[in-house]
Amino acid sequence: MKILLIISALILGLLGILEIGLRVIVGFGNPLTYIADNQIGYLLTPNQNVSRFGNRIKINQYSMRSKSIEESKENTTLRIFLVGDSVANGNWWTDQNDTVSAIIENYLSEKLGKDKIVEVLNASANSWGPRNELAYLEKFGLFDSQIVILLINTDDLFAKAPSSSVVGVDRNYPDKKPLSAIAELINRYFLKAPKIPEIKEGGDRVGFNLVAIKKIHELANQKSAKFILVMTPLLREVDEPGPRDYEIKTRKRLEEFTQAENILFLDLLPIFKSVSEPDSLYRDHIHLSPEGNLVISEVISKSILEQNQL
């Protein structure tokens, strides 16, 4: 009996050490959570402050990856609104200070000096497409922003309509905290992933998303805000094997669309191709490394300075 008690105590002690280690070192047990939304599909739960794998992640009262903000800005503030998907958001692998929005904010603050306060808001979430982003702006507005930046990647042109089916089902979109860090570890890496309902959508998805981009442009115009569309390429477009035929056709369609709508379009493909080691710009085939974030942030910042003569 005494041996059993000792063994039980040792097991509980080891589990306690593992729980604390997973929480403190990895950040398990406290993942970002999501909420469903009928129009947007889903968005990050407001007012979160977590640390995952050593990276700080702050979500404000409007589900932005930004510090808390006032709905209206001061006259001396240059407010820029970055809207996008996981490339803009940075996810758990990007510290708050290394996100595209934070880099742009720091870059412009240094260039413009102390007389101008720069705020770069960041409304983004994993797998959002132009229709999610439009729905967010229609629901929350532009927060008096003078410049709106829509950051997409090539795949976003094929994004499906907003849906909340993943929330609370897909383990990457939890709607509540796990019981423990150990429970999250087991669920994420040892249990079979739950089956996610397939979202089916027919018709011209590229066309649907171009319409959404057009409407975002119109929203910016209605509020007298400048609009910039920025697109990052997939790694295969930059290096071998190169873009697929349907991506080449869609890129041409997008270019013709932006010209017809008089939209300022920053295509990062030529810039990424000019880099000697394009692999260094990516974490995987879509998401960018810190070096990639620096490249696109500099391109966007310089365009803002040039176009707005700041």
Side-chain angles (χ1 to χ4, degrees):
M1 186 68 177
K2 186 176 180 181
I3 294 176
L4 287 175
L5 288 174
I6 293 172
I7 292 173
S8 298
L10 286 172
I11 292 173
L12 289 174
L14 290 172
L15 288 174
I17 292 170
L18 178 60
E19 175 73 20
I20 293 171
L22 288 172
R23 284 185 175 275
V24 174
I25 299 172
V26 184
F28 276 5
N30 189 30
L32 288 171
T33 59
Y34 292 78
I35 55 175
D37 184 276
N38 290 334
Q39 285 74 44
I40 303 169
Y42 55 85
L43 60 165
L44 286 155
T45 305
N47 301 311
Q48 299 187 73
N49 188 355
V50 309
S51 176
R52 300 285 279 186
F53 296 90
N55 296 314
R56 296 175 304 107
I57 306 170
K58 293 182 180 180
I59 308 300
N60 73 9
Q61 72 269 43
Y62 298 107
S63 297
M64 302 174 186
R65 187 161 186 189
S66 305
K67 62 186 178 183
S68 297
I69 63 165
E70 297 294 332
E71 190 167 345
S72 298
K73 67 177 184 62
E74 300 291 335
N75 292 332
T76 55
T77 299
L78 170 64
R79 181 171 279 182
I80 300 166
F81 203 166
L82 175 69
V83 188
D85 63 0
S86 52
V87 175
N89 185 271
N91 211 310
W92 58 262
W93 54 76
T94 308
D95 187 77
Q96 197 83 4
N97 290 334
D98 296 326
T99 57
V100 172
S101 51
I103 297 171
I104 293 173
E105 184 172 294
N106 290 335
Y107 185 99
L108 293 177
S109 295
E110 290 180 5
K111 293 293 183 182
L112 298 177
K114 297 180 180 179
D115 293 335
K116 179 70 74 172
I117 299 171
V118 180
E119 288 182 347
V120 182
L121 314 183
N122 184 338
S124 57
N126 297 346
S127 297
W128 268 8
R131 286 179 280 179
N132 303 87
E133 292 139 4
L134 170 63
Y136 181 96
L137 295 176
E138 288 177 333
K139 180 170 184 174
F140 291 102
L142 303 188
F143 298 93
D144 287 341
S145 300
Q146 293 107 307
I147 301 169
V148 176
I149 302 166
L150 178 61
L151 177 59
I152 63 174
N153 69 77
T154 306
D155 273 358
D156 290 343
L157 295 171
F158 307 94
K160 295 180 181 179
S163 170
S164 59
S165 62
V166 296
V167 178
V169 179
D170 189 323
R171 53 194 176 197
N172 293 311
Y173 300 86
D175 57 357
K176 56 183 177 295
K177 303 292 186 184
L179 294 174
S180 67
I182 295 173
E184 183 183 359
L185 175 70
I186 294 171
N187 180 59
R188 183 168 289 275
Y189 295 107
F190 295 98
L191 298 182
K192 185 178 179 180
K195 187 175 181 180
I196 310 301
E198 183 181 357
I199 303 170
K200 295 182 179 181
E201 182 183 28
D204 179 14
R205 288 212 305 267
V206 174
F208 299 152
N209 287 310
L210 291 181
V211 169
I213 293 171
K214 179 180 179 179
K215 289 182 178 180
I216 294 173
H217 183 212
E218 291 171 349
L219 280 177
N221 284 340
Q222 290 167 13
K223 297 296 184 180
S224 300
K226 300 290 180 64
F227 177 70
I228 305 174
L229 175 65
V230 185
M231 187 164 78
T232 59
L234 306 175
L235 178 57
R236 68 165 177 265
E237 296 180 272
V238 182
D239 208 347
E240 297 296 334
R244 295 169 180 169
D245 289 343
Y246 70 86
E247 291 166 343
I248 294 173
K249 292 177 182 178
T250 301
R251 276 186 166 275
K252 182 174 177 55
R253 186 176 175 183
L254 176 63
E255 290 171 6
E256 292 173 349
F257 163 78
T258 55
Q259 291 171 4
E261 297 296 331
N262 196 27
I263 291 173
L264 176 57
F265 175 45
L266 303 180
D267 183 0
L268 276 294
L269 179 57
I271 294 172
F272 277 34
K273 278 189 170 183
S274 68
V275 176
S276 58
E277 295 182 6
D279 284 7
S280 67
L281 303 178
Y282 288 85
R283 285 184 53 86
D284 52 34
H285 71 289
I286 292 178
H287 302 106
L288 303 181
S289 65
E291 292 79 10
N293 281 353
L294 284 171
V295 170
I296 67 172
S297 299
E298 185 173 345
V299 171
I300 294 170
S301 298
K302 287 182 176 179
S303 176
I304 290 171
L305 292 171
E306 291 170 2
Q307 298 296 325
N308 297 277
Q309 298 180 343
L310 298 172

